[in-house]
Amino acid sequence: MALGLQCQRTVTVLHFLCCLWAIFALAHNVGLPQSARREREYTYGGSWKHLTFLNQVLQTILFSLCVIIDSVGLCLIPSHERKVSSLLVPVRDFIFASLVFPVGLFVAVAFWGLYAYDRELVYPRELDDVNPTWLNHSMHTTILPLLFIELVISPHKYVRKRMGVLGLTIFTVSYLCWIIWVHYASGIWAYPVLEVLDISGKIVFFSIAYCIVLMFYFLGWLLTKKLWGRRRKQT
């Protein structure tokens, strides 16, 4: 019992630290000063047209939920804890499984993959004079350890694959429609790579991106099953 309580406290501390970092990084992203070099981010859609920013918002929501659930588990009597957990845990699990894990993994892999091929397609050199290096890594690098920390310290119950894939697909299609609308309304593409692709190229690019995100969803499901299935057998 004492060991279980100690583990719960450790998980709570880790969630709290992850939440603090997510809020800190998101706040600094929002609070960057306006400049001519960041003009596109302050036009139609602002930062909300970038998947990187949306992923930061999702991670902040996830870890805020984790902190609330952990705090309730430590502070409330069992009957109240079960009531709160029954409401919030399914929401937390769905956000992690269907959104945060696949989208966060995609953001990191896609960004650094394009960056290695030709950084001008995703992060032009002129942004180095505006965005601090640490902030760039907070948006595209440190999101990975946060994902795997959460994967390891908390069991997540995946909904039926059909529902999980549907949730991810709705998010993906909604985001695609959003950036197409931004381009239609303002003439701005959210990413430089889209400016150099013709219509057929964009279709191929979006199709490959969706397949990769879908693959990352099933990767999260497989890792969760192997990790937590083995732990349940051991206990």
Side-chain angles (χ1 to χ4, degrees):
M1 184 70 178
L3 180 60
L5 183 59
Q6 184 62 38
C7 290
Q8 189 176 359
R9 288 173 176 169
T10 302
V11 169
T12 301
V13 170
L14 288 173
H15 277 152
F16 182 71
L17 294 176
C18 289
C19 184
L20 279 183
W21 172 253
I23 293 173
F24 174 78
L26 181 62
H28 276 73
N29 192 342
V30 172
L32 279 176
Q34 184 172 349
S35 70
R37 294 174 185 248
R38 286 175 56 93
E39 181 180 356
R40 290 190 169 203
E41 294 188 19
Y42 290 91
T43 53
Y44 197 94
S47 297
W48 293 96
K49 60 179 174 284
H50 299 298
L51 189 60
T52 295
F53 181 78
L54 295 177
N55 178 64
Q56 281 190 302
V57 173
L58 287 172
Q59 282 204 345
T60 303
I61 293 173
L62 171 70
F63 287 115
S64 297
L65 280 174
C66 290
V67 170
I68 293 172
I69 293 170
D70 293 343
S71 301
V72 166
L74 288 173
C75 300
L76 292 184
I77 59 178
S79 59
H80 291 171
E81 186 270 336
R82 284 193 296 270
K83 182 177 180 180
V84 174
S85 295
S86 65
L87 295 174
L88 296 184
V89 170
V91 177
R92 179 204 66 181
D93 290 348
F94 180 82
I95 291 176
F96 176 80
S98 296
L99 299 177
V100 171
F101 188 86
V103 173
L105 201 53
F106 175 80
V107 166
V109 171
F111 176 83
W112 289 114
L114 288 172
Y115 189 99
Y117 175 74
D118 182 359
R119 66 169 296 177
E120 296 299 318
L121 295 176
V122 65
Y123 196 80
R125 280 182 170 77
E126 62 181 14
L127 290 180
D128 290 340
D129 299 330
V130 182
N131 291 353
T133 301
W134 72 265
L135 184 59
N136 178 30
H137 284 292
S138 77
M139 294 186 291
H140 304 112
T141 307
T142 60
I143 56 177
L144 279 181
L146 294 185
L147 289 178
F148 287 101
I149 286 173
E150 177 60 18
L151 182 72
V152 170
I153 66 175
S154 296
H156 294 279
K157 183 178 180 180
Y158 275 63
V159 296
R160 288 182 299 174
K161 292 178 184 176
R162 183 187 307 172
M163 298 303 298
V165 170
L166 178 62
L168 179 59
T169 301
I170 290 174
F171 175 84
T172 305
V173 172
S174 298
Y175 178 70
L176 176 59
C177 292
W178 167 234
I179 61 174
I180 291 175
W181 171 257
V182 168
H183 176 70
Y184 172 79
S186 63
I188 295 173
W189 282 113
Y191 308 100
V193 64
L194 297 177
E195 297 175 357
V196 301
L197 296 175
D198 57 16
I199 294 179
S200 59
K202 288 181 177 66
I203 293 174
V204 172
F205 179 82
F206 290 138
S207 300
I208 293 175
Y210 174 72
C211 291
I212 293 174
V213 172
L214 199 60
M215 180 182 68
F216 287 155
Y217 169 82
F218 286 108
L219 175 62
W221 173 82
L222 181 63
L223 291 175
T224 299
K225 181 179 178 181
K226 285 187 174 296
L227 177 64
W228 289 99
R230 185 183 300 115
R231 289 188 181 183
R232 291 190 183 97
K233 289 179 180 179
Q234 290 175 346
T235 56

